[in-house]
Amino acid sequence: MTAKLHNLVAKYMNKTIDIEEWEDIRKKYFEYSYLAFMTLCAHEIKSDCAANEIENIIGMNDIIEESILCYVLKIPGSYEFISEVLSIINDYDAFDINCLYQSYIATDFSIMDGEVKFEGGKNNRDILGSYYTQEEFAYEITQKAIEEYLENNIREEVNELKIADYSCGGGAFLVAACRICRQKGISADIYGYDVDPIAIMITRHRLRFEESSGYKILLGNPLLITKNDIEPLEKFKRAEVGRFYSLEMGVVSHDNVMIALGNPPWEKIRFEEKKFLMHYVENQEIGSKAGREKYIQNISETNKYFYNCFIDDYEKAKRLIKKEECFCKSSCGELNTYAIFTELCRNVVCNSGIIGLIVKSSLLKMPVYSAFFRDMTKNKDLYEVYMFTNRNKIFNIDSREEFSVIFLKKNNTKNLSIALNIERYEKFVDREKIELSYDLLNKLNPETGMIPNICHNEELEFLVSIYEKYDTFGMRYPECKFGRLVHLTNHSESIIKQNDDGYIPIYEGKFIELYTAKYATFSGMNESDKYKNKASAKMICDIDGKEYPESRYFIKEEVWNNLSRNFNDEGVIAWRSLTSATNRRTMLATVLPLIPTCQSIQILQLPKKEMLHILALFNSVVFDYIVRLKMAGLDLTQTIIKQIPIPDTKSFEKELVYMGEKATIEKHINSRIRMLYVSDQRLDNFFADVSIYPIRRKITRKQIIAEIDRLVAHLYGLNEERFKNILHTFSKYYSEKEVEAFFKASTSL
């Protein structure tokens, strides 16, 4: 049915739109879509209805405000369109209107060859940040929240529950709430909000069939708090053209909610220029930022006004949200809606209230939310977390995405309980949980106090043992200099693509790997491949040979000298900051001369002796394993580095016999590091005064790295079993044969 509805909407749009006016295109798309789902609602109420009965059926059942109903029925060809929708419906015995709508918005419209077509893409869904919540999943969350509330208030006679979903979508949580309350003999006073008028209509329609003491399902954006609500039709007119962050979409807040539920949007509050334009223009014209800027300069004044309305809406909305005291802890960074909705719910629930939400796990792991998370855990509001992976595609997003079901309540006295690595939502509340106190969280992540990236209890036990033995990097090296110095966009006025006098090459993250700054190059690549979006560099065949990376960008030398003025010329440790906990290796570090490095590389500087210690630690599987347990996103920042425990500098001075040589651990490590850089003449001066001994055995580069890994494991005090367990988590780097060959018991210390 979805494809037929798309084709019908496209047909009527093509008959009625002004193809040159973006606002008219967006408006007609929404209005015909709205008419289609209004007809579906009416058909569910009266299966043999005719087109001329729709207005009366919808009006009598209070699914749509009268002013909006009159407005949409004035759309060109509305009754003819409704008749054709009814013809489509008659071909089907049954349908689930909520599932159908989710399927409908999963495909976008766009203008191709002068016509409206529905082909691929999900920009509309991305902009809404909405992803369908399975009814069973919503039911389990709702049931737990209601039962928790009743248990917490067992001494009181609870006859009615005030329940709200501030991003209700198609009403899955609110319908579940009505059914559970009915089973328990309790009245349900229901409140729902959404920015999508079709979602509002569907939720009202579904709640008609449920028993409740009443429901108010309101169009508007709950993040835009206002004292004076405007007429529903005026909000509808903003929403139908996609202006969900217009201040006119604001709502009056309702407090003293007993239970707040939902799956709030997973979006950033920002204008997505490319996604906006892709509805109206083919991708090849707007694929690059420069292309979009050029295109916008040449559009009509009418379209430019419409385009600027969105930019203005977002800027005003962000200012308002950041100004609101009730969002002071969550309105940080790039303003992610799931965080702000969580704080909204904390503010509106009563003192005995319960909150049950689905959020991105970033809220619990990313440093940007550390103040908000610490507040929730210190006050013990956050009492249960169920952390999911999306490997089984619970949501139609990247399978690597992680999300969590969180439960909060005020006046809680228990520590936070967490269930980890959940793949299915059925009976998820019965999963085994581990307990994490506020003090333990701050011991494991002293900079942020957030949840580590753990999957099971053994990983937690490992982290606890490491933190009990060793100080963190930040504690050990408080004077360490960190930097991410050149930004290709922010410093674009001082950057060129072809080398010239007074300019020097910029190093990129692609150029570095474990113990090498000669991993890849842009040499020999054509211009289009070299400068395309997400361009890949060409691997250097022999990193122990004479070839060095060729850069594609160059920065004015005087600008670089100013940016790097706080660093000396001794050299730096550099690592790829854009990485992932699921990569072959997560931490990839090298020593570099002090040269320009772009934002995909971070650098640090310490005295040379300590830098060599850090280089060995950074590139070890043990340190990498800890990084993976700490890293939630794709950016390996200095905040993460500072929180990782590292062995005492004095432990490097311990003497031992290793591979037939008696020396300090430091000398064993440095002798091997020197071998790995012997072909990089830029670093000869750096290593000139480093004490080493010759290694005359025939040995591969991988084996040298393995021998350093063994030494670092010894520094961390790991036994053979623990070390082998860590090695096996790096199966993409060390094969089973390599583990047996490089780390056999005879090489142990």
Side-chain angles (χ1 to χ4, degrees):
M1 189 187 292
T2 302
K4 290 182 178 180
L5 290 176
H6 280 152
N7 290 338
L8 183 62
V9 168
K11 171 184 160 183
Y12 275 79
M13 286 178 71
N14 287 322
K15 286 199 299 186
T16 60
I17 60 171
D18 181 342
I19 198 73
E20 300 298 328
E21 289 210 11
W22 294 350
E23 185 172 10
D24 189 54
I25 295 169
R26 184 66 176 79
K27 185 170 178 284
K28 293 287 177 25
Y29 157 72
F30 184 82
E31 288 174 348
Y32 286 115
S33 299
Y34 193 84
L35 275 179
F37 282 89
M38 185 179 84
T39 306
L40 288 161
C41 289
H43 181 271
E44 281 202 335
I45 297 168
K46 186 174 186 290
S47 59
D48 60 347
C49 65
N52 59 5
E53 296 179 273
I54 297 293
E55 180 178 4
N56 189 46
I57 294 169
I58 294 296
M60 286 182 62
N61 287 280
D62 295 325
I63 296 171
I64 301 173
E65 290 85 351
E66 184 179 353
S67 59
I68 295 174
L69 183 58
C70 293
Y71 176 78
V72 296
L73 287 172
K74 292 177 182 176
I75 299 166
S78 58
Y79 285 98
E80 180 187 352
F81 176 85
I82 289 169
S83 295
E84 293 200 50
V85 174
L86 289 171
S87 296
I88 291 172
I89 295 171
N90 290 332
D91 292 337
Y92 297 86
D93 294 330
F95 56 85
D96 181 320
I97 193 168
N98 194 26
C99 289
L100 183 61
Y101 184 52
Q102 300 305 319
S103 173
Y104 183 85
I105 63 173
T107 303
D108 267 335
F109 78 88
S110 58
I111 304 297
M112 299 176 66
D113 301 322
E115 286 191 331
V116 174
K117 294 182 181 178
F118 284 84
E119 290 186 8
K122 55 183 180 67
N123 292 330
N124 190 51
R125 168 164 278 176
D126 285 345
I127 290 166
L128 286 168
S130 59
Y131 295 95
Y132 174 63
T133 310
Q134 289 89 338
E135 302 286 325
E136 298 86 352
F137 196 8
Y139 190 93
E140 287 214 27
I141 295 168
T142 305
Q143 184 175 44
K144 177 175 172 60
I146 290 175
E147 289 177 352
E148 288 271 355
Y149 182 88
L150 295 175
E151 184 180 330
N152 293 345
N153 295 275
I154 197 167
R155 295 179 182 177
E156 300 177 17
E157 186 177 352
V158 179
N159 297 315
E160 183 179 78
L161 288 176
K162 184 177 181 180
I163 300 171
D165 184 344
Y166 290 91
S167 52
C168 66
F173 288 91
L174 299 179
V175 169
C178 287
R179 292 174 182 175
I180 294 164
C181 285
R182 183 172 68 246
Q183 292 166 10
K184 296 183 179 296
I186 301 169
S187 294
D189 184 17
I190 298 295
Y191 289 80
Y193 302 84
D194 208 284
V195 297
D196 180 358
I198 297 178
I200 292 293
M201 174 172 59
I202 290 171
T203 300
R204 288 174 180 168
H205 170 65
R206 295 183 69 198
L207 287 172
R208 280 187 60 262
F209 300 101
E210 306 298 333
E211 293 179 20
S212 69
S213 61
Y215 57 82
K216 291 183 179 178
I217 310 302
L218 304 172
L219 178 64
N221 189 333
L223 302 186
L224 306 177
I225 298 171
T226 184
K227 293 180 180 178
N228 301 303
D229 222 342
I230 65 170
E231 289 298 314
L233 178 58
E234 295 307 310
K235 283 188 182 178
F236 183 91
K237 289 178 180 179
R238 302 298 187 284
E240 71 172 345
V241 294
R243 292 180 59 189
F244 306 124
Y245 281 93
S246 166
L247 296 188
E248 285 77 11
M249 290 292 289
V251 301
V252 177
S253 179
H254 288 273
D255 297 332
N256 291 315
V257 171
M258 295 172 176
I259 298 172
L261 300 163
N263 179 7
W266 301 357
E267 62 166 339
K268 291 183 174 70
I269 302 177
R270 66 184 182 196
F271 179 50
E272 299 279 3
E273 181 184 64
K274 186 176 180 181
K275 290 179 180 178
F276 173 87
L277 292 173
M278 283 180 72
H279 286 301
Y280 313 109
V281 58
E282 295 186 27
N283 188 48
Q284 59 263 30
E285 292 190 64
I286 56 167
S288 67
K289 184 172 178 62
R292 291 192 293 276
E293 288 175 354
K294 183 179 178 181
Y295 183 82
I296 291 296
Q297 287 175 358
N298 297 314
I299 62 176
S300 69
E301 289 303 313
T302 304
N303 287 341
K304 196 170 288 185
Y305 174 78
F306 183 57
Y307 169 86
N308 286 328
C309 281
F310 282 82
I311 296 173
D312 189 52
D313 286 347
Y314 277 97
E315 290 306 313
K316 286 179 178 176
K318 285 193 284 187
R319 284 198 296 270
L320 177 64
I321 290 167
K322 287 184 176 182
K323 189 175 71 175
E324 290 285 357
E325 189 176 343
C326 60
F327 299 138
C328 63
K329 296 180 178 68
S330 59
S331 59
C332 49
E334 290 193 274
L335 296 188
N336 278 297
T337 48
Y338 54 86
I340 304 171
F341 270 97
T342 302
E343 189 166 15
L344 170 69
C345 291
R346 285 184 80 197
N347 290 325
V348 298
V349 294
C350 62
N351 285 334
S352 58
I354 296 285
I355 300 167
L357 300 174
I358 303 174
V359 298
K360 287 186 75 170
S361 294
S362 306
L363 179 63
L364 316 171
K365 295 181 177 183
M366 294 294 283
V368 68
Y369 299 118
S370 60
F372 185 32
F373 183 78
R374 272 188 163 134
D375 186 69
M376 289 191 286
T377 51
K378 187 173 184 179
N379 292 319
K380 296 193 174 182
D381 287 7
L382 182 65
Y383 69 95
E384 279 188 17
V385 170
Y386 298 84
M387 304 187 86
F388 287 78
T389 66
N390 199 42
R391 283 190 286 269
N392 288 330
K393 301 292 280 187
I394 295 174
F395 293 112
N396 189 26
I397 51 175
D398 194 319
S399 61
R400 296 169 296 178
E401 191 71 77
E402 296 179 352
F403 63 93
S404 295
V405 177
I406 61 173
F407 290 95
L408 302 95
K409 61 183 174 185
K410 296 178 181 178
N411 303 314
N412 174 52
T413 57
K414 296 178 182 178
N415 286 327
L416 173 62
S417 294
I418 303 176
L420 300 162
N421 205 30
I422 306 172
E423 295 185 5
R424 304 184 66 85
Y425 59 77
E426 293 85 356
K427 296 184 178 179
F428 74 90
V429 296
D430 297 332
R431 287 290 297 261
E432 182 182 352
K433 292 180 277 291
I434 58 176
E435 190 175 290
L436 291 174
S437 68
Y438 173 78
D439 290 338
L440 180 57
L441 284 168
N442 282 277
K443 184 175 185 178
L444 296 179
N445 276 329
E447 297 278 330
T448 64
M450 305 196 83
I451 297 174
N453 198 30
I454 52 178
C455 292
H456 46 74
N457 207 35
E458 289 76 12
E459 292 176 341
L460 175 62
E461 290 172 358
F462 169 74
L463 279 180
V464 171
S465 68
I466 289 290
Y467 274 92
E468 286 175 347
K469 287 182 182 178
Y470 306 108
D471 289 338
T472 62
F473 187 105
M475 296 165 66
R476 186 81 66 199
Y477 298 115
E479 304 302 318
C480 180
K481 296 176 185 175
F482 286 94
R484 194 188 313 218
L485 301 183
V486 178
H487 195 287
L488 295 178
T489 302
N490 295 347
H491 300 119
S492 59
E493 292 183 359
S494 303
I495 294 173
I496 59 175
K497 292 182 178 179
Q498 302 297 328
N499 201 1
D500 201 355
D501 290 342
Y503 287 80
I504 49 179
I506 299 172
Y507 242 62
E508 298 184 47
K510 302 172 177 71
F511 296 170
I512 67 175
E513 242 276 351
L514 294 174
Y515 296 109
T516 183
K518 298 164 56 182
Y519 184 69
T521 182
F522 285 105
S523 174
M525 294 176 61
N526 62 50
E527 296 293 293
S528 60
D529 287 339
K530 190 187 292 188
Y531 295 106
K532 69 182 180 183
N533 190 30
K534 296 183 180 178
S536 296
K538 184 176 67 176
M539 284 184 62
I540 292 174
C541 296
D542 181 10
I543 59 177
D544 290 321
K546 295 182 179 181
E547 185 177 1
Y548 291 86
E550 182 180 294
S551 297
R552 55 180 178 161
Y553 298 109
F554 304 83
I555 189 168
K556 196 176 289 185
E557 189 167 8
E558 63 185 86
V559 173
W560 166 247
N561 290 338
N562 182 54
L563 292 171
S564 61
R565 63 188 180 278
N566 293 326
F567 292 79
N568 61 48
D569 293 332
E570 183 78 350
V572 295
I573 300 299
W575 72 92
R576 286 196 204 182
S577 59
L578 186 61
T579 184
S580 168
T582 59
N583 285 356
R584 179 180 65 102
R585 292 295 297 265
T586 301
M587 169 57 95
L588 299 167
T590 187
V591 61
L592 269 183
L594 184 63
I595 56 177
T597 52
C598 72
Q599 68 265 30
S600 60
I601 292 178
Q602 294 204 50
I603 63 172
L604 67 79
Q605 192 170 66
L606 287 163
K608 186 191 300 182
K609 177 185 176 77
E610 282 76 21
M611 278 202 289
L612 287 168
H613 294 176
I614 295 306
L615 181 62
L617 293 175
F618 276 15
N619 281 329
S620 70
V621 289
V622 178
F623 190 91
D624 205 335
Y625 179 68
I626 301 171
V627 166
R628 292 181 176 196
L629 298 182
K630 311 282 284 182
M631 188 173 166
L634 300 175
D635 195 5
L636 181 47
T637 63
Q638 60 174 281
T639 301
I640 297 170
I641 298 296
K642 287 178 179 178
Q643 295 184 108
I644 295 181
I646 58 172
D648 189 337
T649 304
K650 290 182 179 178
S651 62
F652 285 82
E653 297 171 5
K654 177 184 174 183
E655 278 199 346
L656 52 80
V657 177
Y658 187 52
M659 299 296 182
E661 293 280 351
K662 184 178 182 181
T664 63
I665 293 176
E666 178 182 88
K667 195 168 186 177
H668 286 306
I669 287 174
N670 289 348
S671 299
R672 286 159 176 78
I673 289 176
R674 183 66 186 107
M675 287 184 72
L676 295 169
Y677 287 96
V678 72
S679 69
D680 195 335
Q681 296 177 1
R682 299 170 300 178
L683 297 169
D684 286 348
N685 288 338
F686 180 86
F687 285 105
D689 57 354
V690 176
S691 177
I692 61 172
Y693 58 76
I695 298 175
R696 296 186 173 87
R697 290 175 290 123
K698 190 174 181 180
I699 187 170
T700 65
R701 184 178 186 84
K702 188 80 166 278
Q703 193 171 347
I704 296 170
I705 294 171
E707 290 181 3
I708 299 173
D709 268 330
R710 168 71 75 182
L711 289 162
V712 172
H714 179 75
L715 286 168
Y716 272 104
L718 302 186
N719 61 33
E720 194 71 15
E721 182 183 3
R722 172 66 78 181
F723 183 44
K724 284 287 180 71
N725 287 341
I726 290 174
L727 285 168
H728 288 308
T729 67
F730 289 89
S731 58
K732 293 178 184 176
Y733 184 74
Y734 285 126
S735 68
E736 285 292 328
K737 286 184 178 180
E738 286 174 329
V739 170
E740 290 305 312
F742 297 160
F743 303 101
K744 53 192 174 186
S746 60
T747 65
S748 60
L749 298 166

